[in-house]
Amino acid sequence: MSQAVIELLASDLNHQGGVFCPSPVAGMQTWNTHPKVYLDVGRSGEAKCPYCGTVYKLKDGEHFEGHH
């Protein structure tokens, strides 16, 4: 289990403030990891993958302005 922390720019998030894991920004290949899961990073600034424990968080100073 990885305990990696992946810092993201607001521009790395989709229009809803989310990111998928496994993710190319984390250097992961989808064929050798786990099922794809959506993580809502925009709401709290970070989210942890329930499969691999990777934490995705916005870099300091980055803010997500949600599209409602």
Side-chain angles (χ1 to χ4, degrees):
M1 289 281 192
S2 136
Q3 291 300 313
V5 175
I6 308 300
E7 291 191 325
L8 303 169
L9 300 174
S11 61
D12 293 328
L13 304 180
N14 69 18
H15 69 282
Q16 296 174 316
V19 67
F20 287 96
C21 187
S23 172
V25 297
M28 296 177 184
Q29 301 295 320
T30 55
W31 58 266
N32 67 353
T33 52
H34 56 68
K36 189 178 202 181
V37 292
Y38 174 84
L39 302 170
D40 186 355
V41 176
R43 180 169 299 166
S44 67
E46 73 175 56
K48 183 176 183 177
C49 177
Y51 285 102
C52 67
T54 299
V55 174
Y56 294 85
K57 63 181 250 173
L58 288 174
K59 287 185 179 182
D60 289 342
E62 288 287 313
H63 300 283
F64 176 72
E65 303 298 326
H67 299 275
H68 302 286

Coordinates of all heavy atoms in Angstrom, one line a residue:
M1 N 0.8 -1.2 0.0 CA 0.0 0.0 0.0 C 0.9 1.3 0.0 O 1.7 1.4 0.8 CB -0.9 0.0 1.2 CG -2.0 -1.0 1.3 SD -3.3 -0.4 0.2 CE -4.6 -1.5 0.7
S2 N 0.6 2.1 -0.9 CA 1.3 3.4 -1.0 C 0.7 4.4 -0.1 O -0.5 4.4 0.2 CB 1.2 3.8 -2.5 OG 1.0 5.2 -2.5
Q3 N 1.6 5.2 0.5 CA 1.1 6.3 1.3 C 1.5 7.6 0.6 O 1.9 8.6 1.3 CB 1.6 6.2 2.7 CG 1.0 5.1 3.5 CD -0.5 5.2 3.7 OE1 -1.0 6.2 4.0 NE2 -1.2 4.1 3.4
A4 N 1.5 7.6 -0.7 CA 2.0 8.8 -1.4 C 1.0 10.0 -1.2 O -0.2 9.8 -1.1 CB 2.1 8.4 -2.9
V5 N 1.6 11.2 -1.3 CA 0.8 12.4 -1.3 C 1.1 13.0 -2.6 O 2.2 13.4 -3.0 CB 1.1 13.3 -0.1 CG1 0.4 14.6 -0.2 CG2 0.9 12.6 1.2
I6 N 0.0 13.2 -3.4 CA 0.1 13.8 -4.7 C -0.4 15.2 -4.6 O -1.6 15.4 -4.3 CB -0.7 13.0 -5.8 CG1 -0.3 11.6 -5.8 CG2 -0.5 13.7 -7.2 CD1 1.2 11.3 -6.0
E7 N 0.4 16.2 -4.9 CA 0.0 17.6 -4.9 C -0.6 18.0 -6.2 O 0.1 17.7 -7.2 CB 1.1 18.6 -4.4 CG 1.4 18.4 -3.0 CD 2.4 19.4 -2.4 OE1 3.2 19.9 -3.2 OE2 2.2 19.8 -1.3
L8 N -1.7 18.6 -6.3 CA -2.4 19.0 -7.5 C -2.6 20.5 -7.6 O -2.7 21.2 -6.6 CB -3.8 18.3 -7.5 CG -3.9 16.8 -7.3 CD1 -5.3 16.4 -7.1 CD2 -3.3 16.1 -8.6
L9 N -2.6 20.9 -8.9 CA -3.1 22.3 -9.2 C -4.6 22.3 -9.3 O -5.1 21.2 -9.7 CB -2.4 22.8 -10.5 CG -0.9 22.8 -10.5 CD1 -0.4 23.2 -11.9 CD2 -0.4 23.8 -9.5
A10 N -5.2 23.4 -9.2 CA -6.7 23.4 -9.4 C -7.0 23.0 -10.8 O -8.0 22.4 -11.0 CB -7.2 24.8 -9.1
S11 N -6.1 23.3 -11.7 CA -6.3 22.9 -13.1 C -6.3 21.4 -13.4 O -6.7 20.9 -14.4 CB -5.4 23.6 -14.1 OG -4.0 23.3 -13.7
D12 N -5.7 20.6 -12.4 CA -5.7 19.2 -12.5 C -7.0 18.5 -12.2 O -7.3 17.4 -12.5 CB -4.6 18.6 -11.6 CG -3.2 18.9 -11.9 OD1 -2.9 19.1 -13.1 OD2 -2.4 19.1 -11.0
L13 N -7.9 19.3 -11.6 CA -9.2 18.8 -11.2 C -10.2 18.9 -12.3 O -10.1 19.8 -13.2 CB -9.8 19.5 -10.0 CG -8.9 19.5 -8.7 CD1 -9.5 20.3 -7.6 CD2 -8.5 18.1 -8.3
N14 N -11.2 18.0 -12.4 CA -12.3 18.2 -13.4 C -13.2 19.3 -13.0 O -13.0 19.9 -11.9 CB -13.0 16.9 -13.7 CG -13.8 16.4 -12.5 OD1 -14.2 17.1 -11.6 ND2 -14.2 15.1 -12.5
H15 N -14.2 19.6 -13.8 CA -15.1 20.8 -13.5 C -15.9 20.6 -12.2 O -16.4 21.6 -11.7 CB -16.0 21.0 -14.7 CG -17.0 20.0 -14.9 ND1 -16.7 18.8 -15.5 CD2 -18.3 20.0 -14.6 CE1 -17.8 18.1 -15.6 NE2 -18.8 18.8 -15.0
Q16 N -15.9 19.4 -11.7 CA -16.6 19.2 -10.4 C -15.7 19.2 -9.2 O -16.1 19.0 -8.1 CB -17.4 17.9 -10.5 CG -18.5 17.9 -11.5 CD -19.1 16.5 -11.6 OE1 -18.5 15.5 -11.6 NE2 -20.5 16.5 -11.7
G17 N -14.4 19.4 -9.4 CA -13.5 19.4 -8.3 C -12.9 18.0 -8.0 O -12.4 17.8 -6.9
G18 N -13.0 17.1 -9.0 CA -12.6 15.7 -8.7 C -11.4 15.3 -9.5 O -11.0 15.9 -10.4
V19 N -10.9 14.2 -9.1 CA -9.8 13.5 -9.7 C -10.0 12.0 -9.6 O -10.7 11.6 -8.7 CB -8.4 13.9 -9.1 CG1 -8.2 13.4 -7.7 CG2 -7.2 13.5 -10.0
F20 N -9.5 11.2 -10.5 CA -9.7 9.8 -10.5 C -8.4 9.2 -10.0 O -7.3 9.6 -10.3 CB -10.0 9.2 -11.9 CG -11.4 9.5 -12.3 CD1 -11.7 10.6 -13.1 CD2 -12.4 8.7 -11.8 CE1 -13.0 10.9 -13.5 CE2 -13.8 9.0 -12.2 CZ -14.1 10.0 -13.0
C21 N -8.5 8.1 -9.3 CA -7.4 7.2 -8.9 C -7.7 5.8 -9.4 O -8.8 5.4 -9.2 CB -7.2 7.2 -7.4 SG -5.7 6.4 -6.8
P22 N -6.8 5.2 -10.0 CA -5.4 5.5 -10.3 C -5.3 6.7 -11.3 O -6.2 6.9 -12.1 CB -4.8 4.3 -10.9 CG -6.0 3.5 -11.4 CD -7.1 3.8 -10.6
S23 N -4.3 7.5 -11.2 CA -4.1 8.7 -11.9 C -2.8 8.8 -12.6 O -1.8 8.5 -12.0 CB -4.3 9.9 -11.0 OG -4.0 11.1 -11.7
P24 N -2.8 9.3 -13.9 CA -1.5 9.5 -14.5 C -0.6 10.6 -13.8 O 0.6 10.5 -13.8 CB -1.9 10.1 -15.9 CG -3.3 9.8 -16.1 CD -3.9 9.6 -14.7
V25 N -1.3 11.5 -13.0 CA -0.5 12.5 -12.3 C 0.3 11.9 -11.1 O 1.2 12.5 -10.6 CB -1.3 13.7 -11.8 CG1 -1.9 14.5 -13.0 CG2 -2.4 13.3 -10.8
A26 N -0.2 10.7 -10.7 CA 0.5 10.0 -9.7 C 1.5 8.9 -10.2 O 2.1 8.1 -9.5 CB -0.5 9.3 -8.8
G27 N 1.6 8.9 -11.6 CA 2.5 8.0 -12.2 C 2.0 6.5 -12.2 O 2.8 5.6 -12.3
M28 N 0.7 6.4 -12.1 CA 0.1 5.1 -12.0 C -0.4 4.6 -13.4 O -0.9 5.4 -14.2 CB -1.1 5.1 -11.1 CG -0.8 5.4 -9.7 SD -2.3 5.5 -8.7 CE -1.7 6.0 -7.2
Q29 N -0.3 3.3 -13.7 CA -0.8 2.7 -14.9 C -2.1 2.0 -14.5 O -2.1 1.3 -13.5 CB 0.2 1.7 -15.5 CG 1.5 2.3 -15.8 CD 1.4 3.3 -16.9 OE1 0.7 3.1 -17.9 NE2 2.2 4.4 -16.8
T30 N -3.2 2.3 -15.2 CA -4.5 1.7 -14.8 C -4.5 0.2 -14.9 O -5.2 -0.5 -14.2 CB -5.6 2.3 -15.7 OG1 -5.3 2.0 -17.1 CG2 -5.8 3.7 -15.5
W31 N -3.6 -0.4 -15.7 CA -3.7 -1.9 -15.9 C -3.1 -2.6 -14.7 O -3.3 -3.8 -14.5 CB -3.0 -2.3 -17.2 CG -1.5 -1.9 -17.2 CD1 -1.1 -0.7 -17.8 CD2 -0.4 -2.5 -16.7 NE1 0.3 -0.6 -17.7 CE2 0.7 -1.7 -17.0 CE3 -0.2 -3.7 -16.0 CZ2 2.0 -2.1 -16.7 CZ3 1.1 -4.1 -15.7 CH2 2.2 -3.3 -16.0
N32 N -2.3 -2.0 -13.8 CA -1.6 -2.7 -12.8 C -2.0 -2.2 -11.4 O -1.3 -2.4 -10.4 CB -0.1 -2.7 -12.9 CG 0.5 -1.3 -12.8 OD1 -0.2 -0.3 -12.6 ND2 1.8 -1.3 -12.8
T33 N -3.1 -1.5 -11.3 CA -3.4 -0.9 -10.0 C -4.8 -1.4 -9.5 O -5.0 -2.6 -9.4 CB -3.4 0.6 -10.0 OG1 -4.1 1.1 -11.1 CG2 -1.9 1.1 -10.1
H34 N -5.8 -0.6 -9.3 CA -7.1 -1.0 -8.8 C -8.2 -0.4 -9.6 O -7.9 0.4 -10.5 CB -7.2 -0.5 -7.3 CG -6.9 0.9 -7.1 ND1 -7.8 1.9 -7.5 CD2 -5.9 1.6 -6.5 CE1 -7.3 3.1 -7.2 NE2 -6.2 2.9 -6.6
P35 N -9.4 -0.7 -9.3 CA -10.5 -0.1 -10.0 C -10.5 1.5 -9.9 O -10.1 2.0 -8.9 CB -11.8 -0.6 -9.4 CG -11.3 -1.9 -8.7 CD -9.9 -1.7 -8.3
K36 N -11.0 2.1 -11.0 CA -11.0 3.6 -11.0 C -12.0 4.1 -10.0 O -13.2 3.7 -10.0 CB -11.3 4.0 -12.4 CG -11.1 5.5 -12.7 CD -11.5 5.7 -14.2 CE -10.9 7.0 -14.7 NZ -11.2 7.2 -16.1
V37 N -11.6 5.0 -9.2 CA -12.5 5.7 -8.2 C -12.4 7.2 -8.4 O -11.3 7.7 -8.6 CB -12.3 5.3 -6.8 CG1 -12.6 3.8 -6.6 CG2 -10.9 5.5 -6.3
Y38 N -13.6 7.9 -8.2 CA -13.6 9.3 -8.2 C -13.4 9.9 -6.8 O -14.0 9.4 -5.8 CB -15.0 9.7 -8.7 CG -15.3 11.2 -8.7 CD1 -14.9 12.0 -9.7 CD2 -16.0 11.8 -7.6 CE1 -15.1 13.4 -9.6 CE2 -16.2 13.1 -7.5 CZ -15.8 13.9 -8.6 OH -16.0 15.3 -8.5
L39 N -12.5 10.8 -6.7 CA -12.2 11.5 -5.4 C -12.5 12.9 -5.5 O -12.1 13.6 -6.4 CB -10.8 11.2 -5.0 CG -10.3 9.8 -5.0 CD1 -8.8 9.7 -4.9 CD2 -11.0 9.1 -3.8
D40 N -13.3 13.4 -4.5 CA -13.7 14.8 -4.5 C -12.7 15.7 -3.7 O -12.7 15.7 -2.5 CB -15.1 15.0 -3.9 CG -15.7 16.4 -3.9 OD1 -14.9 17.3 -4.4 OD2 -16.8 16.6 -3.5
V41 N -11.8 16.2 -4.5 CA -10.7 17.0 -3.8 C -11.1 18.5 -3.7 O -10.7 19.1 -2.7 CB -9.4 17.0 -4.7 CG1 -8.3 17.8 -4.1 CG2 -8.9 15.5 -4.8
G42 N -12.0 19.0 -4.6 CA -12.4 20.4 -4.5 C -13.1 20.8 -3.3 O -13.0 21.9 -2.8
R43 N -13.9 19.9 -2.7 CA -14.7 20.2 -1.5 C -13.8 20.5 -0.3 O -14.0 21.6 0.3 CB -15.7 19.1 -1.2 CG -16.5 19.4 0.0 CD -17.7 18.4 0.1 NE -18.5 18.5 -1.1 CZ -19.4 17.6 -1.4 NH1 -19.6 16.6 -0.7 NH2 -20.1 17.8 -2.5
S44 N -12.9 19.7 0.0 CA -12.1 19.9 1.3 C -10.7 20.2 1.0 O -10.0 20.5 2.0 CB -12.2 18.6 2.2 OG -11.6 17.6 1.5
G45 N -10.2 20.1 -0.2 CA -8.8 20.4 -0.5 C -8.0 19.1 -0.6 O -6.8 19.2 -1.0
E46 N -8.5 18.0 -0.1 CA -7.8 16.7 -0.3 C -8.7 15.6 -0.1 O -9.9 15.7 0.4 CB -6.7 16.6 0.8 CG -7.1 16.4 2.2 CD -5.8 16.1 3.1 OE1 -5.0 17.0 3.1 OE2 -5.8 15.1 3.7
A47 N -8.3 14.4 -0.7 CA -9.1 13.2 -0.6 C -8.1 12.0 -0.6 O -7.0 12.1 -1.2 CB -10.1 13.1 -1.7
K48 N -8.5 10.9 0.1 CA -7.6 9.7 0.2 C -8.3 8.6 -0.6 O -9.5 8.3 -0.4 CB -7.4 9.4 1.6 CG -6.5 8.2 1.8 CD -6.3 8.0 3.3 CE -5.3 6.8 3.5 NZ -5.0 6.7 5.0
C49 N -7.6 7.9 -1.4 CA -8.1 6.8 -2.1 C -8.3 5.6 -1.2 O -7.4 5.2 -0.4 CB -7.1 6.3 -3.2 SG -7.7 4.8 -4.1
P50 N -9.6 5.0 -1.2 CA -9.9 3.9 -0.3 C -9.2 2.6 -0.7 O -9.1 1.7 0.1 CB -11.4 3.8 -0.4 CG -11.7 4.3 -1.8 CD -10.7 5.4 -2.0
Y51 N -8.7 2.5 -1.9 CA -8.0 1.3 -2.3 C -6.5 1.3 -2.0 O -6.0 0.4 -1.4 CB -8.1 1.1 -3.9 CG -9.5 0.6 -4.3 CD1 -10.4 1.5 -4.8 CD2 -9.9 -0.7 -4.2 CE1 -11.6 1.1 -5.3 CE2 -11.1 -1.1 -4.6 CZ -12.0 -0.2 -5.1 OH -13.2 -0.6 -5.5
C52 N -5.8 2.4 -2.4 CA -4.3 2.3 -2.2 C -3.8 3.3 -1.2 O -2.6 3.3 -0.9 CB -3.7 2.6 -3.6 SG -3.9 4.3 -4.2
G53 N -4.7 4.2 -0.6 CA -4.2 5.1 0.4 C -3.5 6.3 -0.1 O -3.1 7.2 0.7
T54 N -3.4 6.5 -1.4 CA -2.8 7.7 -2.0 C -3.7 8.9 -1.6 O -4.9 8.9 -1.8 CB -2.6 7.6 -3.5 OG1 -1.8 6.5 -3.8 CG2 -2.0 8.8 -4.1
V55 N -3.0 10.0 -1.2 CA -3.7 11.2 -0.8 C -3.5 12.2 -2.0 O -2.4 12.4 -2.4 CB -3.2 11.8 0.5 CG1 -3.9 13.1 0.8 CG2 -3.5 10.8 1.6
Y56 N -4.6 12.7 -2.5 CA -4.5 13.8 -3.5 C -4.9 15.1 -2.8 O -6.0 15.2 -2.1 CB -5.5 13.5 -4.6 CG -5.1 12.3 -5.4 CD1 -5.5 11.0 -5.0 CD2 -4.4 12.4 -6.6 CE1 -5.2 9.9 -5.7 CE2 -4.0 11.3 -7.3 CZ -4.4 10.0 -6.8 OH -4.1 8.9 -7.6
K57 N -4.1 16.1 -2.9 CA -4.4 17.4 -2.2 C -4.0 18.5 -3.1 O -3.0 18.4 -3.9 CB -3.8 17.5 -0.9 CG -2.3 17.5 -0.8 CD -1.7 17.5 0.6 CE -1.1 18.9 0.8 NZ -0.7 19.1 2.1
L58 N -4.7 19.6 -2.9 CA -4.3 20.9 -3.6 C -3.0 21.4 -3.0 O -2.8 21.4 -1.8 CB -5.4 21.9 -3.5 CG -6.7 21.6 -4.3 CD1 -7.7 22.7 -4.0 CD2 -6.4 21.6 -5.8
K59 N -2.1 21.9 -3.9 CA -0.9 22.5 -3.5 C -1.3 23.8 -2.7 O -2.3 24.4 -2.9 CB -0.1 23.0 -4.7 CG 0.6 21.8 -5.4 CD 1.5 22.3 -6.5 CE 2.2 21.1 -7.1 NZ 3.2 21.5 -8.1
D60 N -0.4 24.2 -1.8 CA -0.6 25.4 -1.0 C -0.8 26.5 -1.9 O -0.1 26.7 -2.9 CB 0.6 25.6 -0.1 CG 0.7 24.7 1.1 OD1 -0.3 24.0 1.4 OD2 1.8 24.5 1.7
G61 N -1.8 27.3 -1.6 CA -2.1 28.5 -2.4 C -3.1 28.2 -3.6 O -3.6 29.2 -4.2
E62 N -3.4 26.9 -3.9 CA -4.3 26.6 -4.9 C -5.7 26.5 -4.3 O -5.9 26.0 -3.2 CB -4.0 25.2 -5.5 CG -2.8 25.2 -6.4 CD -3.0 25.9 -7.7 OE1 -4.0 25.7 -8.4 OE2 -2.1 26.7 -8.1
H63 N -6.7 27.1 -5.1 CA -8.1 27.1 -4.6 C -8.9 26.6 -5.8 O -8.7 27.1 -6.9 CB -8.5 28.4 -4.2 CG -7.7 28.9 -3.0 ND1 -7.9 28.5 -1.7 CD2 -6.7 29.8 -3.0 CE1 -7.0 29.1 -0.9 NE2 -6.3 29.9 -1.7
F64 N -9.9 25.8 -5.5 CA -10.8 25.3 -6.6 C -12.1 26.1 -6.5 O -12.7 26.2 -5.4 CB -11.2 23.8 -6.4 CG -12.2 23.3 -7.4 CD1 -11.9 23.2 -8.7 CD2 -13.5 23.1 -6.9 CE1 -12.8 22.7 -9.6 CE2 -14.4 22.7 -7.9 CZ -14.1 22.5 -9.2
E65 N -12.4 26.8 -7.5 CA -13.7 27.5 -7.6 C -14.7 26.7 -8.4 O -14.6 26.5 -9.6 CB -13.5 28.9 -8.4 CG -12.4 29.8 -7.8 CD -12.7 30.2 -6.4 OE1 -13.9 30.4 -6.1 OE2 -11.8 30.4 -5.6
G66 N -15.6 26.0 -7.6 CA -16.5 25.1 -8.2 C -17.5 25.6 -9.2 O -17.8 26.8 -9.1
H67 N -17.8 24.8 -10.2 CA -18.8 25.2 -11.1 C -20.1 24.5 -10.7 O -20.2 23.3 -10.7 CB -18.4 24.7 -12.5 CG -17.1 25.3 -13.0 ND1 -17.1 26.6 -13.6 CD2 -15.9 25.0 -12.9 CE1 -15.9 26.9 -13.9 NE2 -15.1 25.9 -13.5
H68 N -21.1 25.2 -10.4 CA -22.4 24.6 -9.9 C -23.4 24.5 -10.9 O -23.6 25.3 -11.8 CB -22.9 25.4 -8.7 CG -21.9 25.5 -7.6 ND1 -21.7 24.5 -6.7 CD2 -21.1 26.5 -7.1 CE1 -20.8 24.8 -5.8 NE2 -20.4 26.1 -6.1

